[in-house]
Amino acid sequence: MTTTLDPIELPEIDFDHAPSREGNREIQFREALREAMSEEMRRDKRVFLMGEEVAEYNGAYKVSQGMLDEFGAERIIDTPISENGFAGLGAAAAMYGLRPIIEFMSWSFSLVAADQILNNVPKMLYMSGGQWGCPIVFRGNDGAGGQLGSTHSWCVEGLYSNVPGVKIVIPSNPYDAKGLLKTAIRDDDPVFFLESERMLGDKAHVPEEEYYIPFGKARLVREGDACTLVSFGRPVHFCVQAAGRLAEEGIEVDVLDMRTIRPLDIDSVIESVKKTNRIVVVDQCWPFASVASEVITQVIERAFDWLDHQPLRVNTEDVPTPYAKNLEAAYQPNPDRIVAAVKKAVEA
Amino acid sequence: MPKKTVYKATIEHLQILNEDGKLDASLAKNTLTDEEVAFLFEQMVIWRHFDEVAFKLQRSGRMGTYPQNKGQEAAALGSGFAAKKGTDFLVPCYRENAALFLHGLAPHMILLHWMGDERGNQIPDNVNCTPISIPIGTQMLHATGIAWAYKIRKEPRCVVTYFGDGATSEGDFHEAMNFASTLEVPCVFFCQNNQWAISVPREVQMASETVAQKALAYGMPGMQVDGNDMFAVFKATRDALDRARKGGGPTFIEAVTYRLADHTTADDAKRYRDVKEVEAWTKKDPIIRHRKFLESKGLWSDKKHAEVEAKAKKIVDEIIKTAEGIEKPSPADIFNYTFAEIPEQLRVQRDTMRTNSLGQDPSQTGLKTEHAHTR
């Protein structure tokens, strides 16, 4: 019987093939995501996209625009407002050979699916004695989207990265978004893919060809020897802006875009710290038990003697995300706060 | 506009074999043959013994917490027998061991699980079931997902998922029912209404007169059966599976039964249950009525029963020996099964077994790895 699940031989991923970031094929972040999903769906019939508004409406944020027309309603699937429901359905589909991509309109809404995504999906392989993996991608908007209020502005990476068994990807630009999402779809473990509503319209050159970016490899965005700036996701841009301003004052810093939180490329951080002897971690989550805390802990464990200043963090303030525009801006990491932190580390 | 009735519904209750072992011959037509009843009854006796021995294993410290299945065997066996072994798929909770065994799961696996060994969940490829599910209700969504995959693959296979009355208070139940009915998947929702969610009785859990009527809200056929009557359970499940296989979508079956034992070995139901209630249900024990039925057919006797009990003892002794004879799991397993491919930092932890600090420098553990000090 011919089914959509006939075994598929996929070409092996060549992570060494990394086309240039330079070029003039400028597309939006959301288009890069769409391209990644569409390329994988054309090749592998087991891959499907499910979530609220993904089909007829073309995606609440137009990430899946046109995908219903190309792939049909069997593979681009609108759901009721039922996050726990479609997360659980996706988990089962993954356990039995399909490759689901589940879109949460916002990661804030994943909280009502917590049992499925934290208590079932990441433990499936372990609890079945290594038998059932759960190759599923959950993706959606993470972080303050711009005056969405406290309940709709979650940064889940702090909470979710505490759970073993998941991989957490958080791209900062369209080029990485495409390559990382393709890797996520091909990965045999569950992947949480965190996008940002504030970046979906960002444009950059994205190669038309296929490429994959390995997990656990940070990208050195800018080089310097005064301090190591570590970040991931949207705040990487704030770090780059801050680095530009610092350079005008003669302070050159390394800016590392981690790209994945789990696995965490701590080796690249350590390598940079051994050169700069100072570190500032910029993280759009709350400070307590955050990814920034974890990065700093690991730096202290592995490079304590190399530090000339105590590690510093720039997190959001330790309060619920404010609604008012000015307050939301003040609450988040921003270039001003990053510049101040680097100066404190450097001038000591 | 005058008022008018826009929806009306009834819930049917099916009983074919009553408490006294009397069969309704017309309803029993095309259900179980006498030989099948005798076979299933033997299973009932064996797995009742298994259940009681499992309880003793926990009490003597040879096993962890265990939820007894006692009293609910007819519901498990009747439904499990209706599902096609090797074709259909069971997505259980934890009170239908006998159904899993009918479908080929080695019984020592269940003991292994409750002894705290994840390898008890390594379901062999030729057995169609998921591991037993301890979180309440989450498996119903998985069942719906699996059934949906069957539908997409156009395979004539169905899923039977098990859960208790308590699980129907979970959001997962409602989301699964909604998805299953809107997607028209081949799934049978088999609710073992054993009257108690640990210490909370059914009428405190829900204001609806039946559990079955919850199906109505999802446009799904819902019915109630006497869960201690294998004929009724078999007929309802088989009919639901036949309909599902033909593309007729899901069905909800409420099997009315009773948890004769405590919730688990960590519970003491005497503290909250009326002895009289338990006594009344003990009279409805599936073992009593099926034995009476078989005796009336001349297919069972005291001698036969003694033989089967002796056989059960031998089988269960062997099962325990197998479960206890399995070598303890290796600590490395906890690392090996966390990701499809072990990440470097976990590998270091596994190989050293001396640190639980993820970022610890491999050199500090005294372990040389190709990764250490490359920079």
Side-chain angles (χ1 to χ4, degrees), chain A residues 80-341:
Chain A
I81 304 169
S82 186
E83 283 84 4
N84 194 48
F86 59 79
L89 253 64
M95 285 162 68
Y96 290 92
L98 292 171
R99 293 264 166 172
I101 305 168
I102 305 296
E103 177 174 313
F104 289 127
M105 200 184 292
S106 158
W107 274 97
S108 298
F109 308 159
S110 74
L111 298 175
V112 295
D115 198 83
Q116 287 296 338
I117 69 167
L118 302 179
N119 212 17
N120 279 275
V121 164
K123 298 176 178 175
M124 206 61 84
L125 184 71
Y126 180 80
M127 291 194 67
S128 63
Q131 194 177 25
W132 270 302
C134 206
I136 185 169
V137 177
F138 292 100
R139 44 161 290 272
N141 287 315
D142 177 69
Q147 287 202 274
L148 294 178
S150 190
T151 58
H152 284 47
S153 301
W154 266 85
C155 287
V156 294
E157 55 268 36
L159 262 189
Y160 292 173
S161 62
N162 187 240
V163 181
V166 290
K167 293 175 177 171
I168 299 185
V169 182
I170 180 162
S172 70
N173 59 76
Y175 179 101
D176 287 349
K178 177 175 171 181
L180 288 166
L181 184 53
K182 284 172 69 68
T183 304
I185 296 167
R186 290 285 294 273
D187 199 277
D188 287 333
D189 290 311
V191 179
F192 294 178
F193 197 91
L194 314 186
E195 299 152 14
S196 164
E197 189 187 335
R198 302 292 291 270
M199 296 197 297
L200 288 176
D202 287 2
K203 279 186 159 185
H205 170 69
V206 175
E208 194 167 7
E209 64 191 284
E210 294 198 43
Y211 59 94
Y212 296 86
I213 296 173
F215 291 170
K217 296 279 176 225
R219 172 173 170 249
L220 190 58
V221 183
R222 189 181 168 115
E223 269 195 87
D225 55 11
C227 183
T228 300
L229 258 180
V230 172
S231 195
F232 36 86
R234 183 167 171 242
V236 169
H237 297 283
F238 307 151
C239 290
V240 171
Q241 287 168 34
R245 280 166 49 184
L246 288 160
E248 287 167 15
E249 300 180 39
I251 303 168
E252 293 289 350
V253 298
D254 265 2
V255 177
L256 275 169
D257 179 353
M258 299 312 291
R259 303 201 286 197
T260 63
I261 290 169
R262 284 251 192 180
L264 184 72
D265 182 10
I266 195 67
D267 288 343
S268 292
V269 177
I270 301 292
E271 182 185 14
S272 173
V273 166
K274 286 182 178 175
K275 176 179 73 176
T276 66
N277 312 111
R278 289 162 174 86
I279 181 168
V280 174
V281 185
V282 182
D283 178 354
Q284 59 177 351
C285 275
W286 294 303
F288 196 95
S290 61
V291 179
S293 321
E294 178 62 26
V295 170
I296 287 170
T297 302
Q298 295 197 29
V299 166
I300 290 169
E301 283 174 337
R302 289 183 54 181
F304 184 78
D305 292 340
W306 296 82
L307 290 169
D308 287 343
H309 190 277
Q310 74 264 33
L312 297 172
R313 305 183 266 176
V314 178
N315 283 84
T316 45
E317 302 298 344
D318 201 8
V319 297
T321 312
Y323 200 177
K325 194 171 185 178
N326 62 325
L327 299 183
E328 185 185 274
Y331 151 90
Q332 287 182 303
N334 56 47
D336 286 346
R337 289 171 59 196
I338 298 166
V339 166

Side-chain angles (χ1 to χ4, degrees), chain B residues 63-78:
Chain B
M63 198 167 76
T65 307
Y66 175 75
Q68 280 195 262
N69 289 199
K70 188 178 177 182
Q72 300 180 216
E73 295 91 344
L77 287 164

Side-chain angles (χ1 to χ4, degrees), chain A residues 5 77 82 84-85 88 92 96 115-116 120 125-132 165 189 266-267 271 298 301-302, chain B residues 89 121-123 129-131 138 141-142 146 148 153 172 175 179 334 337 339-340 345 357 359 364 371 375:
Chain A
L5 278 188
I77 303 155
S82 186
N84 194 48
Y96 290 92
D115 198 83
Q116 287 296 338
N120 279 275
L125 184 71
Y126 180 80
M127 291 194 67
S128 63
Q131 194 177 25
W132 270 302
D189 290 311
I266 195 67
D267 288 343
E271 182 185 14
Q298 295 197 29
E301 283 174 337
R302 289 183 54 181
Chain B
F89 205 100
N121 296 337
Q122 284 173 331
I123 312 293
C129 70
T130 44
T138 58
L141 284 161
H142 302 157
I146 294 166
W148 188 31
R153 289 152 64 167
D172 299 56
E175 297 189 43
F179 268 108
I334 65 173
Y337 297 149
F339 289 99
Q345 287 171 334
S357 166
Q364 294 168 4
H371 209 65
R375 296 168 200 271

